[in-house]
Amino acid sequence: MEALSLPAALSLVAGGGAGLSPELRAALGASLPLLQRDYRFERVWFWGCIQGVRGAYYIAQGLGPDRAAPRSRLYSLNCLDWSLLTPATEEMLALAEEVKGRFQGDPSFEYSLAEINPEAAARLVQSGKEPVMKEEARLIATIEQIDRAVGIVPRGAFVKTPLGSVHENRHFEGLSLAEAKKLSSYFHFTEPTNLKNKTLLEKADLDPSTDFLNSLEHDIPQGKGSWSIQLEKGGSVVVLRSLLWLGLTFYHVPMTKQFGYVYFGTGEKNLDLPFML
């Protein structure tokens, strides 16, 4: 969610019980503008918080002109001092899938892969690497996994230019209340995969400038199996909560440009989802 509208946005997603203390909000209000200036980001988003056993990681994302380009990610342990994270690699994502349990809250903590996945550990030893995974690498991979799986935006909020870059749609004035209650009105803000499988007849009704992302209606389990949609604040705010990554909350105020998502959780995927349906 936008750094400038953070206090108002946090109040809109507070129905789930997650939030920040006044001290942390004040710290973010002071540090995020400095972060934007020092790293020369065009926009800064507060991504959320991953709660560990001994501490919490507060995450921010820096964006450039192309909103679909890889984002710069930073973390802080106190909302004041920020450290830049390296981009996630496929190897990181694969190893992070093997690690189970809570984060410790210490970036230098090391997970022994020999205990978790002996085969993966053996491959690392053969390639001359230590069979360990630092918590910072797991943090990088988890943020990437959550963004790919449940980072979402309303339909029409972004447009794709003929050159392939993605920008905010200046003509977007929000979804109507009727549209805002449909899963098909929200898209995954990541590289699309389902669009390649659509037939020419299905693509005929799509606008290539706005319908260039995957819709939530195709998520597995399909329908409302992986999302909860609710009207809050007297029906003036539509809130979507992910059942796959518990703690991810998206909000949109219909007929306005206000939308965003934030994550407050333990960084663990809900592997019990199929048994909950």
Side-chain angles (χ1 to χ4, degrees):
M1 50 178 61
E2 284 281 357
L4 294 176
S5 59
L6 188 59
L10 285 173
S11 67
L12 294 177
V13 300
L20 295 172
S21 67
E23 293 80 9
L24 291 175
R25 290 192 190 195
L28 286 174
S31 65
L32 290 181
L34 296 176
L35 201 65
Q36 182 173 352
R37 183 199 67 185
D38 294 344
Y39 285 90
R40 298 182 180 179
F41 295 137
E42 191 168 289
R43 290 285 180 87
V44 170
W45 286 355
F46 176 68
W47 184 87
C49 166
I50 292 179
Q51 186 67 48
V53 176
R54 298 194 294 267
Y57 297 104
Y58 301 95
I59 315 299
Q61 293 186 331
L63 291 82
D66 184 355
R67 296 294 190 260
R71 301 160 208 163
S72 299
R73 296 184 173 117
L74 306 97
Y75 77 93
S76 173
L77 301 176
N78 56 10
C79 292
L80 288 172
D81 305 307
W82 297 87
S83 301
L84 187 65
L85 293 168
T86 58
T89 64
E90 293 303 320
E91 182 185 29
M92 280 184 192
L93 295 170
L95 291 177
E97 288 279 2
E98 305 292 338
V99 180
K100 302 294 186 290
R102 293 282 302 276
F103 278 80
Q104 297 300 308
D106 177 7
S108 61
F109 180 82
E110 293 183 341
Y111 299 92
S112 173
L113 294 176
E115 301 173 3
I116 300 168
N117 188 332
E119 293 181 2
R123 287 196 298 270
L124 287 175
V125 171
Q126 289 175 358
S127 61
K129 299 178 182 178
E130 291 187 43
V132 297
M133 183 179 197
K134 284 196 172 183
E135 183 155 282
E136 186 174 270
R138 184 189 178 193
L139 178 67
I140 294 168
T142 301
I143 297 170
E144 180 69 21
Q145 287 175 326
I146 293 174
D147 265 346
R148 287 187 185 183
V150 291
I152 61 176
V153 295
R155 181 180 184 272
F158 292 88
V159 293
K160 188 173 185 178
T161 67
L163 297 177
S165 60
V166 175
H167 304 278
E168 292 168 1
N169 185 359
R170 296 180 181 179
H171 302 291
F172 178 70
E173 295 296 338
L175 301 172
S176 66
L177 183 58
E179 290 295 319
K181 292 187 286 185
K182 300 177 183 176
L183 276 180
S184 58
S185 297
Y186 302 96
F187 292 156
H188 289 280
F189 200 37
T190 186
E191 189 69 26
T193 54
N194 294 337
L195 289 180
K196 299 174 184 176
N197 302 325
K198 287 184 178 290
T199 65
L200 291 175
L201 187 61
E202 290 174 319
K203 290 181 179 179
D205 295 329
L206 301 180
D207 183 341
S209 65
T210 56
D211 299 318
F212 59 94
L213 300 168
N214 289 334
S215 169
L216 265 61
E217 64 180 334
H218 303 300
D219 284 9
I220 299 174
Q222 286 199 347
K224 296 184 180 179
S226 54
W227 291 94
S228 163
I229 303 181
Q230 296 172 324
L231 291 175
E232 298 187 358
K233 304 286 184 182
S236 61
V237 182
V238 178
V239 175
L240 278 72
R241 292 187 174 89
S242 173
L243 303 179
L244 180 63
W245 288 93
L246 298 174
L248 190 288
T249 306
F250 170 90
Y251 76 93
H252 175 48
V253 181
M255 307 304 293
T256 75
K257 296 183 178 182
Q258 298 179 57
F259 69 88
Y261 67 86
V262 68
Y263 178 81
F264 286 102
T266 60
E268 297 173 283
K269 186 187 289 186
N270 181 20
L271 299 177
D272 296 326
L273 178 59
F275 306 101
M276 295 167 58
L277 301 175

